[in-house]
Amino acid sequence: MNRFLLDLQNIDWQNQGIANDTPLRGDYPRLRRTTELLDGTKSIIPRKWLLSSTPQKAIDEEPEQSDAQKFRHPNCIKIKTFPLISKQIYSGDRFLPCRRGYSFEMAHYLLRKNDKVENTHIIDVCKEVDSLDVTYRRKALRAMIIERVLMPELDQDKILRFSGSMVRPRNPPRPEYEEKKGSWKCAPRKRSLIGSADKMLSIPDRFPDSLSNNSKAVDWSCNDMIAVTDYDRLNIYDNNSEKVSSYRANTDTDSVEITDIKWGDDGNKLIMSVYIPIAHISTLTMYDLKKEKILWEVTCECWSLFAEAGCVMRCICWSARDRQIVTGCNSKISMFDSGTGKFLYSKHQHDSDILTLSFSPNFKHLVSTAQDRLVRVFAWPELTPCFNIRFYKPIKAVAWHPQVPDLLCLGGRKNGSLSLWNVNKCAMMAHVRPKFNGCVENLAWNKLSGELIVHWTYKEGDNKYTIVAVLASFNRIVDVLPLDKETQLSFLKFNATHERLITSVTVTFCSNNVCSIWNFFGNEKSFQGQCTRHCSSSQRRQGVMVHNPIR
């Protein structure tokens, strides 16, 4: 076969006098293409090849003249050729992209630290809080540089590009570092907003060291009425620290304590639980602020079962539309009619005292925590158990996401850990723990921004410290409550519109409760105006703002 091809080459090409300038590929010659002439005969048209030995003069010669010289054969027809498209000759390596005119300034800087892999489940709370101001300043400076294009290479993604054209800076500019995807739906703030306390209220407290430490006996209504318990007395103040109403539990003995209080959605009715240690019983009392009198009072049905240990209602809450009152006492969850106080039913759900009860925003689930270190989630109103979570220590800080009602956040007591749970999937979605060994005392989720407020306490030696941080996710702190770290908080809650935050501090040397009111969004009138502009009277239900930017 090879011999036949070589003979064909010698006969045709030598007879026609056409030079063979076709480069060989391996040991086989490349055959010429043939073109049919007008008389039916075939003519071989040579292919143009540029060899390494081709002189520059031949390359620079016009294509049409070069082709005319090659095709001066009497049997060939004149073929009109088109000029070749000249390409830019790149003297560099053809396998590397052209980077002419591209800035390599960013190649001299350290873009990412790869020295050690950081544990994403541990957050240094103290370090994050101390560096808040520096972090926001760096972000603002970077945004200004990118916006004014002072350093074009600051916003480039790659050092090596496959295109010689510069990419314009993106709008909006990229943040200083790529933030990890949040664990929940949130619209975090861009800078620190919480300043000093907007108002401080001093409320007398005759007995700061009560039996239940009065850690929950403070509540804030949608009408800006603050209810505070004074051992056996209930005092109601307005936002100017003026007493509006007062009530004292009428019993035959002085040893009485109000263990918990909760305002209704209308802001006029208040439910309270009263414990009588001598009789080992607890009573449930409904108080009307407008009428300034007691509407009804009932005794817990399980007091006879726990006559020796006593029945103590440590937590109470309202059901949807204030129809029922749900209480937690010694291992039982009970339900009462809110209009008449009639006992409906109760179920044994824990093996010890129940500490916390909380409804999900859609009132489809109820979570309870107890001294038996169990956290139980039930389907409401059947109280069907969904799943249980066991911790090393009893949990008392729980919070539901305001717009994703299936997300539940739990605060640990052993190492101050935070865990996020999906109650529909019965699975933990995320968790984190601080570097210090402490515990989570309070949790609150803001309805407007979706930010989580965490109240931690931790010890350093014999000293106990407090820190209240605002979290956009488990790995990002965006703000902090400017409190002295030696301050001991006993209460933390948002008002009905979730624009202000109230904290309660017990001052032992003067036996007073100091309630501080904070503007959670600072003096951002634009943010508050944006929220209130879309909120008409039809969008407000019983003083609660429905619109928020995280929807």
mmCIF file of all heavy atoms in Angstrom, residues 431-467:
data_model
loop_
_atom_site.group_PDB
_atom_site.id
_atom_site.type_symbol
_atom_site.label_atom_id
_atom_site.label_comp_id
_atom_site.label_asym_id
_atom_site.label_seq_id
_atom_site.Cartn_x
_atom_site.Cartn_y
_atom_site.Cartn_z
ATOM 1 N N HIS A 431 -25.379 23.876 65.093
ATOM 2 C CA HIS A 431 -25.055 24.078 66.502
ATOM 3 C C HIS A 431 -23.710 24.782 66.605
ATOM 4 O O HIS A 431 -22.881 24.723 65.684
ATOM 5 C CB HIS A 431 -25.031 22.748 67.263
ATOM 6 C CG HIS A 431 -23.794 21.931 66.992
ATOM 7 N ND1 HIS A 431 -23.647 21.157 65.851
ATOM 8 C CD2 HIS A 431 -22.646 21.770 67.701
ATOM 9 C CE1 HIS A 431 -22.479 20.553 65.876
ATOM 10 N NE2 HIS A 431 -21.832 20.908 66.985
ATOM 11 N N VAL A 432 -23.504 25.450 67.722
ATOM 12 C CA VAL A 432 -22.259 26.167 67.984
ATOM 13 C C VAL A 432 -22.114 26.307 69.493
ATOM 14 O O VAL A 432 -23.107 26.307 70.231
ATOM 15 C CB VAL A 432 -22.268 27.553 67.289
ATOM 16 C CG1 VAL A 432 -23.235 28.501 67.976
ATOM 17 C CG2 VAL A 432 -20.874 28.159 67.253
ATOM 18 N N ARG A 433 -20.871 26.423 69.938
ATOM 19 C CA ARG A 433 -20.629 26.669 71.350
ATOM 20 C C ARG A 433 -19.528 27.713 71.492
ATOM 21 O O ARG A 433 -18.606 27.783 70.670
ATOM 22 C CB ARG A 433 -20.243 25.382 72.080
ATOM 23 C CG ARG A 433 -18.910 24.779 71.676
ATOM 24 C CD ARG A 433 -18.596 23.549 72.511
ATOM 25 N NE ARG A 433 -17.316 22.958 72.169
ATOM 26 C CZ ARG A 433 -16.164 23.327 72.715
ATOM 27 N NH1 ARG A 433 -16.148 24.304 73.616
ATOM 28 N NH2 ARG A 433 -15.034 22.754 72.369
ATOM 29 N N PRO A 434 -19.607 28.554 72.502
ATOM 30 C CA PRO A 434 -18.558 29.567 72.702
ATOM 31 C C PRO A 434 -17.300 28.955 73.293
ATOM 32 O O PRO A 434 -17.310 27.825 73.791
ATOM 33 C CB PRO A 434 -19.221 30.555 73.665
ATOM 34 C CG PRO A 434 -20.194 29.721 74.434
ATOM 35 C CD PRO A 434 -20.699 28.679 73.484
ATOM 36 N N LYS A 435 -16.225 29.721 73.240
ATOM 37 C CA LYS A 435 -14.966 29.240 73.795
ATOM 38 C C LYS A 435 -14.991 29.199 75.318
ATOM 39 O O LYS A 435 -14.304 28.380 75.930
ATOM 40 C CB LYS A 435 -13.810 30.114 73.297
ATOM 41 C CG LYS A 435 -13.379 29.800 71.881
ATOM 42 C CD LYS A 435 -12.067 30.476 71.539
ATOM 43 C CE LYS A 435 -11.569 30.019 70.171
ATOM 44 N NZ LYS A 435 -10.269 30.633 69.817
ATOM 45 N N PHE A 436 -15.748 30.119 75.931
ATOM 46 C CA PHE A 436 -15.816 30.097 77.393
ATOM 47 C C PHE A 436 -16.840 29.066 77.854
ATOM 48 O O PHE A 436 -17.746 28.673 77.114
ATOM 49 C CB PHE A 436 -16.172 31.485 77.945
ATOM 50 C CG PHE A 436 -17.428 32.077 77.350
ATOM 51 C CD1 PHE A 436 -18.691 31.605 77.685
ATOM 52 C CD2 PHE A 436 -17.346 33.139 76.467
ATOM 53 C CE1 PHE A 436 -19.840 32.157 77.161
ATOM 54 C CE2 PHE A 436 -18.484 33.710 75.925
ATOM 55 C CZ PHE A 436 -19.732 33.211 76.267
ATOM 56 N N ASN A 437 -16.693 28.628 79.078
ATOM 57 C CA ASN A 437 -17.651 27.711 79.696
ATOM 58 C C ASN A 437 -18.692 28.527 80.450
ATOM 59 O O ASN A 437 -18.392 29.157 81.457
ATOM 60 C CB ASN A 437 -16.939 26.750 80.655
ATOM 61 C CG ASN A 437 -16.081 25.743 79.920
ATOM 62 O OD1 ASN A 437 -16.428 25.305 78.832
ATOM 63 N ND2 ASN A 437 -14.952 25.376 80.509
ATOM 64 N N GLY A 438 -19.889 28.531 79.930
ATOM 65 C CA GLY A 438 -20.960 29.307 80.550
ATOM 66 C C GLY A 438 -22.291 28.664 80.281
ATOM 67 O O GLY A 438 -22.384 27.464 79.998
ATOM 68 N N CYS A 439 -23.338 29.467 80.344
ATOM 69 C CA CYS A 439 -24.687 28.976 80.108
ATOM 70 C C CYS A 439 -25.507 30.081 79.458
ATOM 71 O O CYS A 439 -25.212 31.274 79.601
ATOM 72 C CB CYS A 439 -25.343 28.486 81.398
ATOM 73 S SG CYS A 439 -25.492 29.744 82.672
ATOM 74 N N VAL A 440 -26.534 29.683 78.733
ATOM 75 C CA VAL A 440 -27.456 30.601 78.076
ATOM 76 C C VAL A 440 -28.625 30.849 79.022
ATOM 77 O O VAL A 440 -29.346 29.920 79.378
ATOM 78 C CB VAL A 440 -27.943 30.043 76.731
ATOM 79 C CG1 VAL A 440 -28.886 31.020 76.054
ATOM 80 C CG2 VAL A 440 -26.764 29.724 75.832
ATOM 81 N N GLU A 441 -28.790 32.115 79.401
ATOM 82 C CA GLU A 441 -29.849 32.460 80.348
ATOM 83 C C GLU A 441 -31.144 32.848 79.645
ATOM 84 O O GLU A 441 -32.231 32.477 80.087
ATOM 85 C CB GLU A 441 -29.393 33.621 81.238
ATOM 86 C CG GLU A 441 -28.122 33.345 82.024
ATOM 87 C CD GLU A 441 -28.330 32.336 83.129
ATOM 88 O OE1 GLU A 441 -29.497 32.026 83.443
ATOM 89 O OE2 GLU A 441 -27.332 31.840 83.674
ATOM 90 N N ASN A 442 -31.057 33.613 78.545
ATOM 91 C CA ASN A 442 -32.246 34.089 77.832
ATOM 92 C C ASN A 442 -31.986 34.077 76.329
ATOM 93 O O ASN A 442 -30.853 34.297 75.875
ATOM 94 C CB ASN A 442 -32.629 35.512 78.268
ATOM 95 C CG ASN A 442 -33.122 35.577 79.703
ATOM 96 O OD1 ASN A 442 -34.254 35.200 80.006
ATOM 97 N ND2 ASN A 442 -32.270 36.050 80.595
ATOM 98 N N LEU A 443 -33.053 33.851 75.576
ATOM 99 C CA LEU A 443 -33.032 33.907 74.115
ATOM 100 C C LEU A 443 -34.242 34.702 73.641
ATOM 101 O O LEU A 443 -35.335 34.577 74.203
ATOM 102 C CB LEU A 443 -33.081 32.506 73.498
ATOM 103 C CG LEU A 443 -31.832 31.632 73.597
ATOM 104 C CD1 LEU A 443 -32.128 30.241 73.057
ATOM 105 C CD2 LEU A 443 -30.677 32.249 72.831
ATOM 106 N N ALA A 444 -34.037 35.512 72.606
ATOM 107 C CA ALA A 444 -35.143 36.279 72.029
ATOM 108 C C ALA A 444 -34.859 36.483 70.550
ATOM 109 O O ALA A 444 -33.744 36.841 70.165
ATOM 110 C CB ALA A 444 -35.313 37.622 72.735
ATOM 111 N N TRP A 445 -35.880 36.273 69.713
ATOM 112 C CA TRP A 445 -35.753 36.442 68.271
ATOM 113 C C TRP A 445 -36.531 37.684 67.848
ATOM 114 O O TRP A 445 -37.709 37.835 68.195
ATOM 115 C CB TRP A 445 -36.306 35.232 67.530
ATOM 116 C CG TRP A 445 -35.323 34.642 66.575
ATOM 117 C CD1 TRP A 445 -34.565 35.316 65.676
ATOM 118 C CD2 TRP A 445 -34.986 33.254 66.421
ATOM 119 N NE1 TRP A 445 -33.761 34.457 64.970
ATOM 120 C CE2 TRP A 445 -34.008 33.178 65.401
ATOM 121 C CE3 TRP A 445 -35.408 32.087 67.029
ATOM 122 C CZ2 TRP A 445 -33.458 31.974 64.979
ATOM 123 C CZ3 TRP A 445 -34.863 30.891 66.613
ATOM 124 C CH2 TRP A 445 -33.895 30.832 65.598
ATOM 125 N N ASN A 446 -35.890 38.568 67.074
ATOM 126 C CA ASN A 446 -36.552 39.782 66.624
ATOM 127 C C ASN A 446 -37.388 39.490 65.384
ATOM 128 O O ASN A 446 -36.905 38.886 64.417
ATOM 129 C CB ASN A 446 -35.505 40.862 66.318
ATOM 130 C CG ASN A 446 -36.140 42.195 66.022
ATOM 131 O OD1 ASN A 446 -36.409 42.526 64.877
ATOM 132 N ND2 ASN A 446 -36.385 42.974 67.057
ATOM 133 N N LYS A 447 -38.646 39.952 65.395
ATOM 134 C CA LYS A 447 -39.548 39.693 64.279
ATOM 135 C C LYS A 447 -39.219 40.525 63.051
ATOM 136 O O LYS A 447 -39.505 40.111 61.929
ATOM 137 C CB LYS A 447 -41.000 39.979 64.692
ATOM 138 C CG LYS A 447 -41.582 39.002 65.685
ATOM 139 C CD LYS A 447 -43.025 39.345 65.969
ATOM 140 C CE LYS A 447 -43.633 38.358 66.958
ATOM 141 N NZ LYS A 447 -45.046 38.682 67.261
ATOM 142 N N LEU A 448 -38.648 41.700 63.231
ATOM 143 C CA LEU A 448 -38.406 42.595 62.107
ATOM 144 C C LEU A 448 -37.175 42.201 61.304
ATOM 145 O O LEU A 448 -37.187 42.237 60.079
ATOM 146 C CB LEU A 448 -38.264 44.038 62.604
ATOM 147 C CG LEU A 448 -39.475 44.607 63.346
ATOM 148 C CD1 LEU A 448 -39.194 46.017 63.807
ATOM 149 C CD2 LEU A 448 -40.708 44.575 62.461
ATOM 150 N N SER A 449 -36.098 41.854 61.966
ATOM 151 C CA SER A 449 -34.848 41.549 61.272
ATOM 152 C C SER A 449 -34.470 40.073 61.301
ATOM 153 O O SER A 449 -33.601 39.648 60.526
ATOM 154 C CB SER A 449 -33.701 42.362 61.893
ATOM 155 O OG SER A 449 -33.514 41.996 63.249
ATOM 156 N N GLY A 450 -35.068 39.280 62.171
ATOM 157 C CA GLY A 450 -34.701 37.874 62.272
ATOM 158 C C GLY A 450 -33.407 37.648 63.022
ATOM 159 O O GLY A 450 -32.856 36.542 62.973
ATOM 160 N N GLU A 451 -32.897 38.654 63.736
ATOM 161 C CA GLU A 451 -31.663 38.510 64.509
ATOM 162 C C GLU A 451 -31.971 37.871 65.861
ATOM 163 O O GLU A 451 -33.025 38.111 66.449
ATOM 164 C CB GLU A 451 -31.003 39.878 64.701
ATOM 165 C CG GLU A 451 -30.554 40.507 63.397
ATOM 166 C CD GLU A 451 -30.208 41.969 63.546
ATOM 167 O OE1 GLU A 451 -30.898 42.670 64.314
ATOM 168 O OE2 GLU A 451 -29.257 42.426 62.907
ATOM 169 N N LEU A 452 -31.021 37.069 66.328
ATOM 170 C CA LEU A 452 -31.184 36.329 67.572
ATOM 171 C C LEU A 452 -30.387 37.006 68.676
ATOM 172 O O LEU A 452 -29.197 37.286 68.509
ATOM 173 C CB LEU A 452 -30.716 34.885 67.397
ATOM 174 C CG LEU A 452 -30.815 33.972 68.614
ATOM 175 C CD1 LEU A 452 -32.270 33.742 68.993
ATOM 176 C CD2 LEU A 452 -30.114 32.649 68.357
ATOM 177 N N ILE A 453 -31.039 37.284 69.793
ATOM 178 C CA ILE A 453 -30.383 37.899 70.945
ATOM 179 C C ILE A 453 -30.114 36.803 71.967
ATOM 180 O O ILE A 453 -31.025 36.088 72.388
ATOM 181 C CB ILE A 453 -31.246 39.024 71.565
ATOM 182 C CG1 ILE A 453 -31.375 40.194 70.588
ATOM 183 C CG2 ILE A 453 -30.640 39.524 72.854
ATOM 184 C CD1 ILE A 453 -32.434 40.027 69.562
ATOM 185 N N VAL A 454 -28.848 36.673 72.344
ATOM 186 C CA VAL A 454 -28.415 35.611 73.252
ATOM 187 C C VAL A 454 -27.820 36.261 74.497
ATOM 188 O O VAL A 454 -26.933 37.120 74.395
ATOM 189 C CB VAL A 454 -27.379 34.688 72.580
ATOM 190 C CG1 VAL A 454 -27.036 33.530 73.512
ATOM 191 C CG2 VAL A 454 -27.896 34.178 71.250
ATOM 192 N N HIS A 455 -28.313 35.833 75.641
ATOM 193 C CA HIS A 455 -27.798 36.305 76.930
ATOM 194 C C HIS A 455 -26.976 35.182 77.539
ATOM 195 O O HIS A 455 -27.513 34.155 77.973
ATOM 196 C CB HIS A 455 -28.967 36.706 77.846
ATOM 197 C CG HIS A 455 -28.569 36.975 79.258
ATOM 198 N ND1 HIS A 455 -29.456 36.845 80.319
ATOM 199 C CD2 HIS A 455 -27.398 37.384 79.809
ATOM 200 C CE1 HIS A 455 -28.836 37.144 81.443
ATOM 201 N NE2 HIS A 455 -27.585 37.473 81.151
ATOM 202 N N TRP A 456 -25.632 35.380 77.557
ATOM 203 C CA TRP A 456 -24.709 34.410 78.128
ATOM 204 C C TRP A 456 -24.224 34.884 79.496
ATOM 205 O O TRP A 456 -24.067 36.091 79.734
ATOM 206 C CB TRP A 456 -23.467 34.228 77.247
ATOM 207 C CG TRP A 456 -23.593 33.259 76.133
ATOM 208 C CD1 TRP A 456 -23.766 31.910 76.208
ATOM 209 C CD2 TRP A 456 -23.522 33.562 74.728
ATOM 210 N NE1 TRP A 456 -23.799 31.350 74.961
ATOM 211 C CE2 TRP A 456 -23.652 32.339 74.034
ATOM 212 C CE3 TRP A 456 -23.343 34.735 74.005
ATOM 213 C CZ2 TRP A 456 -23.632 32.270 72.644
ATOM 214 C CZ3 TRP A 456 -23.322 34.669 72.623
ATOM 215 C CH2 TRP A 456 -23.459 33.450 71.968
ATOM 216 N N THR A 457 -23.957 33.936 80.372
ATOM 217 C CA THR A 457 -23.218 34.179 81.607
ATOM 218 C C THR A 457 -22.072 33.174 81.668
ATOM 219 O O THR A 457 -22.243 32.002 81.313
ATOM 220 C CB THR A 457 -24.117 34.029 82.851
ATOM 221 O OG1 THR A 457 -24.669 32.711 82.887
ATOM 222 C CG2 THR A 457 -25.228 35.065 82.848
ATOM 223 N N TYR A 458 -20.901 33.645 82.098
ATOM 224 C CA TYR A 458 -19.736 32.774 82.178
ATOM 225 C C TYR A 458 -18.884 33.207 83.362
ATOM 226 O O TYR A 458 -19.034 34.318 83.889
ATOM 227 C CB TYR A 458 -18.927 32.821 80.882
ATOM 228 C CG TYR A 458 -18.352 34.170 80.550
ATOM 229 C CD1 TYR A 458 -17.030 34.494 80.850
ATOM 230 C CD2 TYR A 458 -19.129 35.137 79.926
ATOM 231 C CE1 TYR A 458 -16.500 35.729 80.546
ATOM 232 C CE2 TYR A 458 -18.611 36.387 79.614
ATOM 233 C CZ TYR A 458 -17.305 36.681 79.925
ATOM 234 O OH TYR A 458 -16.785 37.918 79.629
ATOM 235 N N LYS A 459 -17.995 32.328 83.782
ATOM 236 C CA LYS A 459 -17.148 32.578 84.943
ATOM 237 C C LYS A 459 -15.691 32.643 84.539
ATOM 238 O O LYS A 459 -15.228 31.884 83.687
ATOM 239 C CB LYS A 459 -17.346 31.486 86.007
ATOM 240 C CG LYS A 459 -18.644 31.615 86.783
ATOM 241 C CD LYS A 459 -18.682 30.624 87.940
ATOM 242 C CE LYS A 459 -19.929 30.809 88.789
ATOM 243 N NZ LYS A 459 -19.941 29.883 89.952
ATOM 244 N N GLU A 460 -14.984 33.553 85.159
ATOM 245 C CA GLU A 460 -13.536 33.657 85.069
ATOM 246 C C GLU A 460 -13.002 33.728 86.489
ATOM 247 O O GLU A 460 -13.060 34.769 87.131
ATOM 248 C CB GLU A 460 -13.114 34.894 84.262
ATOM 249 C CG GLU A 460 -13.428 34.801 82.786
ATOM 250 C CD GLU A 460 -12.925 36.016 82.025
ATOM 251 O OE1 GLU A 460 -12.364 36.929 82.682
ATOM 252 O OE2 GLU A 460 -13.094 36.057 80.793
ATOM 253 N N GLY A 461 -12.529 32.597 86.962
ATOM 254 C CA GLY A 461 -12.138 32.513 88.361
ATOM 255 C C GLY A 461 -13.370 32.470 89.253
ATOM 256 O O GLY A 461 -14.263 31.636 89.078
ATOM 257 N N ASP A 462 -13.431 33.386 90.196
ATOM 258 C CA ASP A 462 -14.592 33.466 91.084
ATOM 259 C C ASP A 462 -15.594 34.516 90.626
ATOM 260 O O ASP A 462 -16.629 34.710 91.272
ATOM 261 C CB ASP A 462 -14.139 33.795 92.513
ATOM 262 C CG ASP A 462 -13.269 32.690 93.105
ATOM 263 O OD1 ASP A 462 -13.437 31.531 92.662
ATOM 264 O OD2 ASP A 462 -12.429 32.996 93.974
ATOM 265 N N ASN A 463 -15.327 35.199 89.532
ATOM 266 C CA ASN A 463 -16.200 36.268 89.048
ATOM 267 C C ASN A 463 -17.143 35.734 87.980
ATOM 268 O O ASN A 463 -16.756 34.923 87.130
ATOM 269 C CB ASN A 463 -15.371 37.425 88.476
ATOM 270 C CG ASN A 463 -14.452 38.047 89.519
ATOM 271 O OD1 ASN A 463 -14.806 38.154 90.694
ATOM 272 N ND2 ASN A 463 -13.265 38.459 89.095
ATOM 273 N N LYS A 464 -18.375 36.220 88.020
ATOM 274 C CA LYS A 464 -19.401 35.844 87.059
ATOM 275 C C LYS A 464 -19.697 37.045 86.175
ATOM 276 O O LYS A 464 -20.006 38.128 86.670
ATOM 277 C CB LYS A 464 -20.675 35.372 87.768
ATOM 278 C CG LYS A 464 -21.736 34.820 86.829
ATOM 279 C CD LYS A 464 -22.936 34.314 87.617
ATOM 280 C CE LYS A 464 -23.996 33.732 86.704
ATOM 281 N NZ LYS A 464 -25.174 33.239 87.464
ATOM 282 N N TYR A 465 -19.633 36.846 84.856
ATOM 283 C CA TYR A 465 -19.788 37.930 83.910
ATOM 284 C C TYR A 465 -20.983 37.674 82.995
ATOM 285 O O TYR A 465 -21.464 36.541 82.857
ATOM 286 C CB TYR A 465 -18.524 38.114 83.072
ATOM 287 C CG TYR A 465 -17.305 38.485 83.887
ATOM 288 C CD1 TYR A 465 -16.112 37.798 83.736
ATOM 289 C CD2 TYR A 465 -17.354 39.509 84.834
ATOM 290 C CE1 TYR A 465 -14.989 38.127 84.473
ATOM 291 C CE2 TYR A 465 -16.244 39.855 85.581
ATOM 292 C CZ TYR A 465 -15.058 39.160 85.401
ATOM 293 O OH TYR A 465 -13.958 39.492 86.152
ATOM 294 N N THR A 466 -21.439 38.761 82.354
ATOM 295 C CA THR A 466 -22.606 38.716 81.477
ATOM 296 C C THR A 466 -22.261 39.344 80.138
ATOM 297 O O THR A 466 -21.540 40.346 80.074
ATOM 298 C CB THR A 466 -23.789 39.483 82.110
ATOM 299 O OG1 THR A 466 -24.174 38.837 83.324
ATOM 300 C CG2 THR A 466 -24.986 39.516 81.167
ATOM 301 N N ILE A 467 -22.773 38.759 79.072
ATOM 302 C CA ILE A 467 -22.638 39.328 77.736
ATOM 303 C C ILE A 467 -23.922 39.041 76.966
ATOM 304 O O ILE A 467 -24.441 37.928 77.001
ATOM 305 C CB ILE A 467 -21.401 38.756 77.006
ATOM 306 C CG1 ILE A 467 -21.205 39.456 75.670
ATOM 307 C CG2 ILE A 467 -21.493 37.260 76.846
ATOM 308 C CD1 ILE A 467 -19.887 39.125 75.010
#
